[in-house]
Amino acid sequence: MVKPKNSISLALVGIGGMGYYYLKELLKNYYPQKVFIQGAVDPYPERSELYPELKRLDIPVFSSLEDLYLRRPNPELTVISSPIHCHVGQSSLALQNGSHV
């Protein structure tokens, strides 16, 4: 799916743990014309109860943030909801790629 004009592109890092709650709210009333989920990042996405919904909506899932940035244009916003020890590296990478974090 192509990002709709005037929508905010978003990447979500972590779809388990706290990321589950972010994703659950994003998907509750998912309207890509406002917030377009460009991709989700998780090394074990199949463990998330919401993984089938991501697949149904054709939202790409990547095993690393680096992989997302290689395959997708830079999201405007990157939400970091991964384990806390990953935050600095992932936030730095997102900022280097032009995302708000």
Side-chain angles (χ1 to χ4, degrees), residues 65-66 69-70 73-75 78 91-100:
L65 190 53
E66 293 85 356
Y69 286 123
L70 288 173
N74 297 341
T78 299
S91 295
S92 295
L93 182 60
L95 291 168
Q96 289 168 12
N97 280 277
S99 282
H100 295 275

Side-chain angles (χ1 to χ4, degrees), residues 3 5 10-11 27 30 35 43 45 55 65 68 82 84:
K3 177 187 173 288
K5 187 177 180 180
L10 175 131
L27 295 178
Y30 185 52
V35 176
K55 288 302 192 187
L65 190 53
L68 178 137
S82 59
I84 198 162

Side-chain angles (χ1 to χ4, degrees), residues 6 9 17 22 24 29 31 38 46 60 66 74 76 93:
N6 298 325
S9 59
Y22 279 103
K24 182 178 176 183
N29 295 302
Y31 190 62
Q38 213 164 297
E46 306 83 15
E66 293 85 356
N74 297 341
E76 296 164 279
L93 182 60

Side-chain angles (χ1 to χ4, degrees), residues 31-42:
Y31 190 62
Q33 288 72 17
K34 294 205 180 242
V35 176
F36 177 72
I37 302 174
Q38 213 164 297
V41 176
D42 199 288

Side-chain angles (χ1 to χ4, degrees), residues 18-78:
M18 290 305 296
Y20 167 84
Y21 297 101
Y22 279 103
L23 185 56
K24 182 178 176 183
E25 289 304 312
L26 283 168
L27 295 178
K28 190 181 287 183
N29 295 302
Y30 185 52
Y31 190 62
Q33 288 72 17
K34 294 205 180 242
V35 176
F36 177 72
I37 302 174
Q38 213 164 297
V41 176
D42 199 288
Y44 307 104
E46 306 83 15
R47 293 181 184 175
S48 173
E49 292 177 28
L50 298 172
Y51 181 68
E53 185 68 4
L54 290 173
K55 288 302 192 187
R56 186 186 74 73
L57 293 169
D58 202 26
I59 296 171
V61 178
F62 302 92
S63 60
S64 71
L65 190 53
E66 293 85 356
D67 194 26
L68 178 137
Y69 286 123
L70 288 173
R71 297 183 178 184
R72 292 287 184 207
N74 297 341
E76 296 164 279
L77 174 64
T78 299

